Amino acid sequence: MGAKSIAGLGSIILLDIDYFKHYNDTHGHQGGDEVLRMMAEVIKKEVRHSDTVARYGGEEFVVISVETDKDTVVQLAERIRKGVEKSPFPLKETQPGGNLTVSLGVASFRDDANTVQGLIKEADDALYGAKESGRNRVWFKKSLQNK
């Protein structure tokens, strides 16, 4: 992706289902697959029509927000987090903490990186920060610096 085409990219959110292995181990892979399908629907419901949602791997999803600044994408990520937290996932009460939640890492073009690879790395680093700081939260580069 060239500099001109990445400029419209804006921001990305990487999100990971907290303790998903526990859910799979407790309720089987069919139960986990149902949660993944439901998770995709919850995320799609919370994002804007201009955003793209995709499964990134395992229990991770990515949201690509075109022409979106850091403040706006952080608000979007928080909306997703709250939407997941309130959703009626089956057997969510069996999860650690009694609920099915997600951790989210946010990165924005120009604020955090100047390449697609850099943007993904920054969002991934932020996702790890969210996990390490307690899960069920939105994290971004400024959060990492204040850790």
Side-chain angles (χ1 to χ4, degrees):
M1 205 178 246
K4 185 174 181 182
S5 58
I6 191 175
L9 179 58
S11 302
I12 64 169
I13 302 168
L14 287 180
L15 67 107
D16 186 72
I17 302 172
D18 296 327
Y19 303 108
F20 187 69
K21 182 178 180 340
H22 177 270
Y23 194 96
N24 261 346
D25 290 349
T26 304
H27 305 293
H29 290 281
Q30 288 179 330
D33 286 346
E34 179 61 21
V35 164
L36 289 172
R37 281 191 289 280
M38 291 178 71
M39 183 66 64
E41 291 304 315
V42 170
I43 297 167
K44 286 181 201 174
K45 182 178 141 195
E46 297 299 335
V47 300
R48 304 161 310 171
H49 291 290
S50 60
D51 297 324
T52 300
V53 176
R55 190 160 166 205
Y56 191 64
E59 70 277 8
E60 291 184 355
F61 290 85
V62 62
V63 178
I64 302 168
S65 294
V66 294
E67 298 179 8
T68 307
D69 63 22
K70 178 64 89 35
D71 291 337
T72 303
V73 79
V74 167
Q75 291 172 10
L76 174 61
E78 184 60 24
R79 191 168 67 235
I80 293 167
R81 189 195 67 75
K82 287 179 180 176
V84 169
E85 191 174 47
K86 293 186 296 186
S87 291
F89 292 100
L91 304 169
K92 67 182 188 173
E93 66 279 357
T94 63
Q95 284 293 91
N99 200 4
L100 198 137
T101 60
V102 292
S103 297
L104 303 96
V106 173
S108 294
F109 179 66
R110 291 199 180 96
D111 287 342
D112 301 315
N114 293 316
T115 66
V116 172
Q117 295 79 10
L119 202 59
I120 293 168
K121 181 190 181 317
E122 293 296 335
D124 195 48
D125 288 350
L127 174 58
Y128 278 104
K131 293 283 191 181
E132 291 173 355
S133 67
R135 302 176 198 262
N136 190 26
R137 63 195 66 221
V138 174
W139 213 250
F140 51 97
K141 196 169 192 169
K142 186 175 180 183
S143 306
L144 292 170
Q145 293 168 345
N146 293 329
K147 191 171 175 187

